Amino acid sequence: MFDRNGKDGSEYNVKNIEFISKSSPAVGEMIRKEYERQKNNIELIASENYCSEAVLAACGSCLSWKYAEGYPYDRKTGNKGRYYGGTKFVDELEEYCCDKWREVFRTDYHVNVQPHSGSQANFAAYKAIIEPGDTVLAMSLDNGGHLTHGSSVNFSGKLYNIVFYDVDENGFIDMADVRGKALKYNPKVIVAGASAYARIIDFKAFAEIAEEAGAYLMVDMAHIAGLVAGGVHPSPFGYADIITTTTHKTLRGPRGGLIFCRPELAKKVDSAVFPYAQGGPLEHVIAGKAVCAEEALSPEFKVYAEQVVKNCRAFADEFIKLGYKIVTGGTDNHVFLIDLSDMPFSGKDLQDRLDEEGITLNKNCVPGDKRGPKETAGVRVGTAPMTTRGYKEDDFREVAKKIDGIVKAMLKEAK
């Protein structure tokens, strides 16, 4: 989308839009307007990023045409092969993609690259190790978890008996509460990972609790996967039984999911993805995932991951200097939450106002949120996308000051 020097625009996208517009002027125009929004806005949504032109090209390749239900034949897992002919080359691609992701995370875990999204990866991961009605111990949405970690409106909350562990008064995961509830409720699986948690997650401590409780440990590293790959966040490999992730957040790849697991769970995981949860895999997206893995193995990616964390710390510190309440008092990764509980407006109000000013972020619940998920008492801020566009610490400090100016204007209007 943007080159690694942060320059606006790309020849690939402009030509692509022009080509689409010849066939469908309406669709081409809508894509053009979204491209302009992405090019001109300051993008702070923690779950978004910009993938390379090579990833985009792979996702738009002739692989879009190919059906390949099933898996490449594998004596180790017992996969019996595809249900369609003509799969020689997509078999090679999928096996290559799996190998590259094991290389990225320096692991011998089995990997399934077929999940269409992180949510579908989590759906299949649960299916592989537990049954409906079983107890799951996880982090709630209000405390920084994800919908698929047991929200009552999600399949996870409807299919399983969910118990939530808490954060302490400072917003940190309360490991004593995790252990206490694990021993009290005997969950079949403990979920570690979050969509809005700013601190290092102690996977070793989670693993020890899971072992004591006789539970599986499932880690959802969708948000921090790029930081793990870049060596700036501890790895869950070696501790977790199953690990899920997306490829489009801090990894800067296509929209999609991955599942890693201990070898003894491989057959159950693969069966839970296909045929249980999905039909034909998206081989064009798998090609994009393979390119993404190669990019994550480059020295430049490690520099990028390090800069994401440096930028986020500088960004959060600047907000603290400006008088804002940051959940946990700072950040160790790519994201943090601004607590607006004492403000006369909601997180949604600020999100909408910033949208008008060319700054994109999202409303988000904070621990103890009294406004609810539709309005929220906070906003979530991330540094991964603008770091891709070349932003450094001083750039984010300036963005914090710009947001502060907008907040002050909103406070004045509220009087």
Side-chain angles (χ1 to χ4, degrees), residues 348-366:
K348 184 180 186 304
D349 293 330
L350 181 56
Q351 171 189 295
D352 292 347
R353 181 63 169 268
L354 290 176
D355 244 351
E356 296 171 2
E357 302 290 340
I359 299 174
T360 308
L361 47 67
N362 65 277
K363 65 182 184 293
N364 209 97
C365 289
V366 296

Side-chain angles (χ1 to χ4, degrees), residues 139-347:
M139 178 186 279
S140 71
L141 200 61
D142 286 0
N143 285 335
H146 187 256
L147 278 170
T148 55
H149 299 173
S151 173
S152 61
V153 299
N154 183 259
F155 77 85
S156 54
K158 294 180 183 298
L159 290 179
Y160 306 109
N161 175 40
I162 305 296
V163 177
F164 293 118
Y165 53 80
D166 290 322
V167 295
D168 62 22
E169 64 274 10
N170 296 313
F172 288 79
I173 294 173
D174 186 340
M175 295 307 297
D177 187 62
V178 176
R179 181 175 182 272
K181 287 177 177 172
L183 297 180
K184 179 179 179 181
Y185 294 102
N186 298 310
K188 291 289 183 67
V189 61
I190 298 173
V191 180
S195 65
Y197 184 69
R199 296 300 183 172
I200 295 293
I201 296 175
D202 190 343
F203 298 123
K204 182 175 183 291
F206 267 102
E208 290 171 350
I209 293 169
E211 183 176 9
E212 186 179 5
Y216 286 108
L217 176 60
M218 173 178 157
V219 170
D220 180 346
M221 66 171 187
H223 266 267
I224 58 170
L227 307 184
V228 172
V232 292
H233 190 289
S235 174
F237 289 91
Y239 296 115
D241 299 295
I242 290 189
I243 300 168
T244 62
T245 185
T246 54
T247 49
H248 53 272
K249 298 183 178 78
T250 49
L251 282 169
R252 301 198 298 195
R255 297 189 69 85
L258 305 172
I259 304 176
F260 298 86
C261 66
R262 297 190 187 278
E264 59 268 26
L265 294 174
K267 191 171 182 179
K268 288 183 177 180
V269 165
D270 287 350
S271 296
V273 175
F274 174 85
Y276 185 80
Q278 297 181 182
L282 306 178
E283 293 295 342
H284 54 301
V285 178
I286 289 173
K289 291 174 183 178
V291 175
C292 172
E294 291 179 331
E295 292 174 351
L297 286 165
S298 69
E300 292 80 10
F301 187 85
K302 180 176 176 60
V303 173
Y304 164 75
E306 291 171 348
Q307 191 62 52
V308 167
V309 174
K310 290 177 183 176
N311 285 344
C312 207
R313 285 174 176 161
F315 204 15
D317 287 347
E318 188 64 27
F319 274 111
I320 291 170
K321 289 178 183 177
L322 291 168
Y324 290 83
K325 181 180 178 182
I326 304 301
V327 176
T328 75
T331 181
D332 297 321
N333 53 31
H334 68 299
V335 64
F336 60 91
L337 298 174
I338 303 175
D339 189 337
L340 305 172
S341 298
D342 297 331
M343 299 283 185
F345 49 82
S346 68

